[in-house]
Amino acid sequence: MEISNTINIVTYNHKSKLGIEDLHLLFSQIFIERGFNVINENYLKYNSINIIIDEFTGHRIRKDIQDFKRKKAGLIYIVPTEFITEINLGVRSFNVFNPNFFYKLLFSLIFIFLSLYYFLSNPFPKIFTFPKIKLGTGISTSIRRWGKKKITLLGLYLCKFNFVLKNFDKCLLIYWAFKKNIYEFKRFYSLLLVIEYCDGFIHFHKVLEEQYKKHFSKIKSFYLSPRIDKKTFKNKFGQLRFGFTMSGTITSYRNECFDKLKSLFSEDNCDSLFRIDSFKRDPIKKQKEAYQFSYNPGQSSNWNYSSPTRLYRAINVNHSIPVIDKRSFDSDIEDLAITLDKNIVKYTKQLSKNNEFFKDYLQKIDLYNKKSKKINSVFFKKIDEIS
């Protein structure tokens, strides 16, 4: 099989492009720099390298992958984006971080039941569906329409119980957590269906690389590290105004962190700008003014992972310096972020003035780029051997 110089970044398996735009940007930059022809088609391209960002719950993408590989039409690399978590009783899923034993035991029993249901009633390539939970649907519909004064009969019936009314917020959290975990389980087992057709994994996160090597030892894993355009960053950073932005999914913890950041600058009587850009608050993406710094706290106080794609976007797209609440030591680009501490006001002011501190930061970018080049050469050597 002859492989062309074309990289097809596949995203049609995602209903929304929010959250995967950064990955698309990363791949485009890495492969274009190496002289590849990067495209984004609504199908798997023959005699090419197809890179698919993980999401295989849809029937079409799974069937396309199966047919494609049976014809030996090209290569498929999967980009995992979710953390594999082992629960109880040998059950695995994505992103179940709750440490509570009884919570894990409950979900283990539910997942085992759903596994049996899935494998007995939905053999591949049939579409993967779970039995619908009418109670959950009623509550969900009630919540969505609450503001419009349109409540379903089931939702109205549930609200007559004092327990539901008194603990409405808790009920919402439990329901949404349950719904999210069911989806993550469905997503994990959908991945298992396409693993055998995969030529390898591509990772931007060291923890994900370690996890997938452990759970799928027969599949080759590659770690990539995107390069930073130092010259453009240097020129653009000085043109930005001094301030801080925070983007992405806004949780209560992230709001608290942002308020803490603002309070540090107000105590110092420092004139600076602050803005929050949320997917939910700003569903229509608009080009907004970037500031010299972007704040990137974790989703919660016990969140222990960095976000390499978010840090990359901050530096290479917005040309701002990322600020994090703590170090996770799980990605190389985290070396280019500064940590929020009592010296944050003084240090960001010094960086903003384009003095020796900023020159030291540019040297860090040089070291990072040198390291990235060496890391990426392993994957490209493999591609050269195949081509």
Side-chain angles (χ1 to χ4, degrees), residues 6 11 15 17 21 70 80 100 107 117 129 137 161 171 173 238 311 337 343 347 350 353 379:
T6 297
T11 57
K15 292 180 180 178
K17 299 300 182 285
E21 291 176 328
R70 283 178 176 172
N100 185 287
F107 271 92
Y117 171 85
T129 55
T137 305
F161 295 102
C171 289
L173 291 174
L311 299 181
N343 298 316
Y347 188 49
Q350 290 168 333
K353 292 175 182 177
F379 175 75

Side-chain angles (χ1 to χ4, degrees), residues 190-365:
S190 295
L191 172 66
L192 295 184
L193 293 176
V194 299
I195 285 292
E196 63 180 293
Y197 305 106
C198 168
D199 292 290
F201 292 122
I202 298 178
H203 305 280
F204 289 113
H205 204 294
K206 290 181 179 178
V207 172
L208 289 178
E209 181 190 20
E210 292 171 3
Q211 287 186 348
Y212 283 76
K213 279 183 176 179
K214 174 185 174 182
H215 291 275
F216 307 108
S217 57
K218 294 182 179 179
I219 308 291
K220 185 71 174 176
S221 281
F222 297 95
Y223 177 68
L224 292 182
S225 183
R227 190 186 68 85
I228 301 299
D229 184 346
K230 190 185 86 167
K231 183 178 179 180
T232 302
F233 171 80
K234 180 182 177 181
N235 293 335
K236 296 285 187 180
F237 179 81
Q239 299 172 18
L240 302 178
R241 291 196 288 173
F242 183 82
F244 296 79
T245 58
M246 183 172 71
S247 61
T249 302
I250 306 302
T251 63
S252 58
Y253 172 74
R254 299 191 84 212
N255 264 327
E256 289 172 10
C257 289
F258 202 62
D259 288 340
K260 177 185 175 183
L261 175 67
K262 288 192 287 186
S263 67
L264 290 173
F265 282 84
S266 61
E267 290 171 7
D268 196 69
N269 296 317
C270 178
D271 185 19
S272 54
L273 301 166
F274 297 90
R275 189 181 72 242
I276 294 178
D277 299 328
S278 168
F279 291 150
K280 292 182 180 179
R281 294 179 188 177
D282 306 296
I284 301 175
K285 202 156 189 176
K286 299 177 182 178
Q287 187 67 31
K288 294 186 177 180
E289 178 190 6
Y291 297 151
Q292 286 186 324
F293 300 92
S294 65
Y295 188 34
N296 302 272
Q299 294 184 28
S300 62
S301 58
N302 59 356
W303 188 262
N304 297 317
Y305 306 113
S306 67
S307 178
T309 53
R310 191 183 297 278
L311 299 181
Y312 170 80
R313 169 174 278 278
I315 303 169
N316 214 51
V317 178
N318 298 330
H319 310 111
S320 61
I321 297 176
V323 179
I324 55 178
D325 54 343
K326 60 183 177 182
R327 296 203 177 276
S328 304
F329 304 100
D330 56 10
S331 63
D332 295 308
I333 201 168
E334 195 182 44
D335 294 340
L336 300 180
I338 58 179
T339 309
L340 175 62
D341 57 25
K342 62 182 181 181
N343 298 316
I344 190 69
V345 177
K346 181 180 178 182
Y347 188 49
T348 51
K349 282 181 180 179
Q350 290 168 333
L351 283 169
S352 177
K353 292 175 182 177
N354 199 12
N355 57 13
E356 293 300 319
F357 288 89
F358 186 67
K359 290 179 181 177
D360 289 342
Y361 186 81
L362 294 178
Q363 288 180 357
K364 286 185 179 181
I365 293 179

